[in-house]
């Protein structure tokens, strides 16, 4: 298949914007499903996990392939809940384009902004779909305006709604200046074009002129025809819309009500007309393993194979399923490939495309396409797979650090090994899930991105993997840092096996701004201290970052410089320099004004106007700082920053405060000094 006839797209949105419902309609209209599964009934094809069906939310990013007008569309349906942001992040890394789904009532909601910013990071062209026009309070034009103000985007409406709420009856195509009605008896499969109703003609004409006016800024041909009053061919309009979409200058906007089967076919047309094929995206850059030189990776089927693993999903029968995107050459069944990140050979036993969780066997996945391999033993999310003879490393993925932890222990000794195995599988699947032994208590500690995230993982351990376990109460995962600069000299001397091991180093520790991360720099010449000993110091410092200053939490936002070293080749050893670095850092950090940092969350609460006072007063009691209050047609939005430790059980408290009429979204914002917790 020509790569021009391929689209790799993601569907992204805030929770409850109708994203999975829209995907179900896409599968129905493209012939992948012969019936429409509903999220509310727990029947959605893409929500195949038992918990997704029970909770009515998307947890993992499901992948599927379908065809529309002879174009293959690979779709990844990503979660909308912020606790599963890693699923969104790794999906965006391998996609060429995305559909952003907005609720016509809620508009641009908190997670919409988060995912939009993630897509900006990866320079992904997007189209927008304003869904739920049949809902009470739906306002298409308000959402278009919010896209400008909140997302700093240039929306380009191509369709307008005819009516809203219970009067929503179809959409207006402003390019063709016709109304489209969707036949209810065929679940919207049949479309009828009819003249625009008289009362809407002026509005449609205004938006048609707006479309042409905006596009004329990017096309001299459209500008000339516009000024001459000539007819502008639809093909030319589509060509320029595609151009401004791929360059991310404008966002084509579609409209509909997926649950009522209105607007999804026009969205499918938009996906193939305006979103990029693998040939339209910029050439990606990798690094040669041999000398770390940047090298361009061309989309060439005849080139050496090169792919990126973006997701691991465990299957009880087959073992790990490795989802990958091919950037060069082709990955073939029954062949050996090289895991360039791990420097290990892997064998592909089976190769398939996924339709939700149902596999379709294939012999090869070619450049530009997405597939799943069975048989890999070492692969992890972010690994580069390719040829041993042409080793190019693609940029890996970075994920946020977990901010919440719970203790977990097996109910019986016989469950201990089963629990460790389950945790190993889950941490391999989910890079934001971490587990470790607490040396002080002997307990296993699991950490994740939020209460829901951990709740889902614990349910998978106990129900899906059938491990009997007891769970502790959620605990905040803190960080440690310093507030003062300090210079410290450390001498290390130890006799091992009759041989003296000595090191003498001077370190300078400097606090960095919040969110900077850690840094180690050597200012000592390699002529004075050979490279292998400088590497040993770096290892020691990086290990010290993990062990904390007083409480054992990871250390953040500290710069360490090796500013001086005495070297005697007769007694020097890598062990001595690594140990000197660890001890030197520990001793210096205790005198550098150590502080405890706590996670601060960005919280957006959506509640009725009548409850605003109670909710804001309650936030104040939780040390929350209100940053903004925004009035909406149905619910007001309060944005605040609140310490995570004060947000445990907030869902129940908010329900009680507002008689269940309010909801909230929460995401990690930053780490900040915990008041009253300065070390003595």
């Amino acid at each position: 298949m020509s790569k021009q006839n391929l689209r790799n797209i993601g569907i992204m949105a805030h929770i409850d914007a109708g994203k999975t419902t829209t995907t179900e309609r896409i599968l129905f209209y493209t012939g992948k499903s012969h019936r429409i599964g509903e999220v509310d009934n727990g029947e959605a094809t893409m929500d195949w996990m038992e918990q997704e069906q029970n909770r009515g939310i998307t947890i993992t990013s499901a992948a599927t392939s379908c065809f529309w007008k002879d174009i293959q569309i690979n779709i990844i349906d990503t979660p909308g809940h912020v606790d599963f942001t890693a699923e969104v992040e790794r999906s965006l890394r391998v996609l060429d384009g995305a559909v952003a789904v907005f609720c016509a009532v809620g508009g641009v909601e908190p997670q919409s902004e988060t995912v939009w910013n993630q897509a900006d990071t990866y320079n992904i062209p997007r189209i927008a779909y304003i869904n739920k026009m049949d809902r009470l309070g739906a306002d298409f034009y308000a959402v278009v305006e919010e896209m400008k103000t909140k997302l700093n985007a240039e929306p380009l409406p191509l369709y307008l709604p005819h009516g809203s709420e219970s009067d929503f009856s179809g959409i207006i195509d402003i390019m063709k200046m016709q109304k489209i009605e969707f036949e209810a008896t065929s679940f919207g499969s049949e479309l009828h074009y009819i003249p625009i109703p008289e009362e809407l003609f002026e509005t449609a004409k205004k938006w048609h002129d707006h479309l042409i006016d905006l596009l004329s800024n990017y096309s001299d041909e459209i500008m000339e025809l516009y000024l001459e009053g000539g007819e502008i061919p639809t093909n030319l309009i589509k060509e320029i819309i595609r151009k401004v979409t791929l360059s991310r200058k404008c966002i084509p906007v579609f409209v509909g009500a997926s649950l009522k089967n209105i607007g999804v076919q026009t969205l499918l047309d938009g996906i193939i007309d305006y979103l990029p094929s693998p040939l339209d995206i910029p050439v990606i850059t990798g690094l040669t393993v041999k000398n770390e030189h940047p090298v361009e990776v061309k989309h060439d089927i005849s080139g050496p194979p090169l792919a990126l693993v973006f997701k691991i999903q465990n299957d009880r029968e087959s073992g790990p399923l490795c989802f990958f995107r091919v950037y060069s050459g082709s990955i073939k069944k029954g062949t050996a490939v090289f895991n360039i990140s791990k420097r290990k050979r892997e064998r592909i036993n089976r190769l398939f495309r996924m339709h939700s969780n149902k596999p379709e066997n294939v012999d090869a996945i070619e450049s530009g396409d997405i597939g799943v391999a069975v048989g890999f033993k070492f692969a992890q999310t972010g690994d580069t797979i390719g040829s041993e003879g042409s080793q190019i490393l693609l940029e890996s993925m970075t994920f946020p650090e977990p901010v919440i932890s719970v203790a977990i222990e097996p109910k019986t000794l016989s469950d201990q090994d089963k629990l460790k195995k389950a945790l190993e599988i889950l941490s391999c699947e989910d890079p934001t899930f971490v587990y470790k032994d607490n040396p002080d208590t002997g307990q296993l500690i699991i950490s994740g991105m939020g209460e829901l995230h951990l709740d889902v993982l614990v349910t998978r351990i106990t129900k899906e993997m059938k491990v009997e376990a007891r769970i502790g109460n959620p605990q905040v995962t803190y960080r440690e840092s310093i507030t003062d600069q300090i210079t410290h000299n450390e001498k290390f001397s130890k006799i091992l096996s009759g041989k003296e091991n000595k090191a003498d180093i001077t370190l300078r520790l400097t606090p960095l701004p919040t969110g900077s991360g850690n840094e180690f720099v050597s200012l000592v010449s390699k002529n004075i201290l050979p490279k292998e000993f400088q590497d040993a110091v770096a290892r020691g410092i990086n290990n010290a970052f993990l062990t904390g200053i007083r409480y054992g939490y990871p250390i953040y936002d500290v710069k360490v410089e090796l500013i001086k070293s005495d070297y005697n080749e007769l007694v020097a050893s890598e062990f001595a320099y690594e140990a000197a670095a660890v001890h030197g850092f520990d001793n210096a950090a205790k005198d550098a004004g150590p502080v405890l940092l706590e996670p601060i969350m960005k919280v957006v609460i959506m509640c009725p106007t009548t409850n605003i006072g109670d909710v804001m007063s309650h936030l104040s009691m939780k040390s929350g700082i209100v940053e903004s209050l925004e009035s909406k047609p149905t619910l007001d939005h309060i944005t605040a920053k609140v310490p995570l430790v004060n947000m445990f059980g907030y869902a129940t408290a908010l329900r009680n405060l507002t008689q269940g009429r309010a909801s909230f979204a929460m995401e990690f914002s930053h780490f900040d000094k915990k008041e009253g917790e300065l070390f003595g």
Side-chain angles (χ1 to χ4, degrees), residues 148-176:
K148 287 183 186 174
T149 56
K150 286 191 173 181
L151 303 177
N152 200 24
E154 182 67 78
L156 192 63
L158 305 183
Y159 297 87
L160 304 177
H162 184 201
S164 64
E165 302 177 350
S166 57
D167 296 329
F168 181 56
S169 63
I171 61 178
I172 309 296
D173 182 336
I174 60 173
M175 271 187 286
K176 294 180 178 175

Side-chain angles (χ1 to χ4, degrees), residues 474-493:
Q475 303 289 326
V476 172
T477 302
Y478 293 100
R479 300 285 184 268
E480 297 184 46
S481 193
I482 60 171
T483 54
D484 302 327
Q485 187 182 84
I486 193 165
T487 301
H488 174 82
N489 175 255
E490 184 73 24
K491 292 182 173 65
F492 180 87
S493 177

Side-chain angles (χ1 to χ4, degrees), residues 287-298:
L287 290 175
T288 58
V289 170
K290 197 170 181 182
N291 48 23
E292 296 189 354
H293 282 168
V295 59
E296 288 190 342
V297 178
K298 293 187 169 61

Side-chain angles (χ1 to χ4, degrees), residues 422-555:
L423 296 175
E424 198 178 302
I425 288 168
L426 291 175
S427 66
C428 190
E429 286 186 6
D430 184 349
T432 59
F433 172 68
V434 177
Y435 70 96
K436 65 178 182 180
D437 287 298
N438 184 327
D440 297 330
T441 63
Q443 287 178 307
L444 269 170
I445 305 294
I446 58 174
S447 305
M449 297 307 298
E451 284 184 278
L452 178 63
H453 186 207
L454 284 183
D455 189 28
V456 165
L457 291 164
V458 166
T459 307
R460 285 192 66 191
I461 291 166
T462 54
K463 295 247 179 98
E464 187 184 310
M465 299 173 175
K466 305 211 167 15
V467 179
E468 295 284 324
R470 281 188 291 266
I471 312 299
N473 292 324
Q475 303 289 326
V476 172
T477 302
Y478 293 100
R479 300 285 184 268
E480 297 184 46
S481 193
I482 60 171
T483 54
D484 302 327
Q485 187 182 84
I486 193 165
T487 301
H488 174 82
N489 175 255
E490 184 73 24
K491 292 182 173 65
F492 180 87
S493 177
K494 193 163 192 175
I495 295 173
L496 289 173
S497 306
K499 185 181 184 304
E500 197 172 14
N501 293 262
K502 278 191 172 184
D504 184 343
I505 59 172
T506 302
L507 301 172
R508 180 164 61 216
L509 277 59
T510 308
L512 294 174
T514 301
S516 303
N518 294 325
E519 190 182 344
F520 172 75
V521 179
S522 174
L523 304 179
V524 176
S525 162
K526 291 185 177 66
N527 296 329
I528 294 170
L529 184 66
K531 183 178 183 300
E532 62 267 28
F533 297 107
Q534 298 204 24
D535 290 344
V537 173
R539 279 197 305 275
I541 297 299
N542 288 324
N543 288 334
F545 283 147
L546 303 174
T547 56
I549 302 168
R550 181 69 63 85
Y551 295 131
Y553 292 113
I555 296 166

Side-chain angles (χ1 to χ4, degrees), residues 307-339:
L308 183 77
V309 175
F310 68 93
K311 177 180 168 69
I312 307 283
Q313 185 178 301
N314 200 65
D315 182 84
R316 252 180 239 167
E317 293 172 15
S318 306
L321 307 179
C322 295
F323 289 69
F324 61 90
R325 158 77 189 260
V326 185
Y327 288 95
S328 167
S330 61
I331 303 287
K332 295 174 182 169
K333 182 176 78 174
T335 60
V337 290
F338 194 65
N339 185 328

